Amino acid sequence: MLRLLFHEPRIAGNTGNAIRLCAATGAELHLVAPLFDLSEPKVRRAGLDYHDLANVVVHPDLETALAALPGARVFAFTAAGAIRHTDVAYADGDVLMFGPEPTGLPDDVLTHPRVTARVRIPMLTGRRSLNLSNAASVASYEAWRQLGFPGGV
């Protein structure tokens, strides 16, 4: 099972989309506070009726989140990543970590000792970044594809 970790997400709709993504792929979604109220209408609307089908865990801070994922490899997604998301050989239990909109992961998170690698999703020159839920989708489906789409039909 893959795990998505959103570090301090700020846009409710993106988190709602990620809830739906996790329900569709079987990935866990870990959210690191501070964040908005998960009962906010934008979260509910974007996640449609998938909320009960997704495993969502809220953590008060990054250290607590990482402690709940012992031994897992943590891939930090950043536009300044050293390797492409398609060049990672994903394994069951990996954590795909994304930063808040619009700033991305802060330096102290990118240099955290638990970060296995900094990963990027290729884009055309001069583009700043993808939308958070879009980036999470691209990365999740590549990792799930490599794992053989376990549980998928």
Side-chain angles (χ1 to χ4, degrees), residues 31-100:
L31 302 173
V32 175
L35 62 142
F36 38 80
D37 182 355
L38 289 175
S39 66
E40 186 173 317
K42 289 180 183 176
V43 176
R44 302 294 308 169
R45 186 171 43 252
L48 293 176
D49 56 347
Y50 287 83
H51 292 264
D52 295 339
L53 300 174
N55 185 0
V56 180
V57 182
V58 177
H59 303 279
D61 54 54
L62 182 61
E63 292 305 323
T64 304
L66 294 174
L69 303 164
R73 297 187 311 168
V74 178
F75 294 97
F77 280 76
T78 171
I83 58 175
R84 290 182 182 160
H85 76 292
T86 53
D87 293 335
V88 174
Y90 296 99
D92 189 35
D94 282 348
V95 175
L96 313 180
M97 181 169 55
F98 299 86

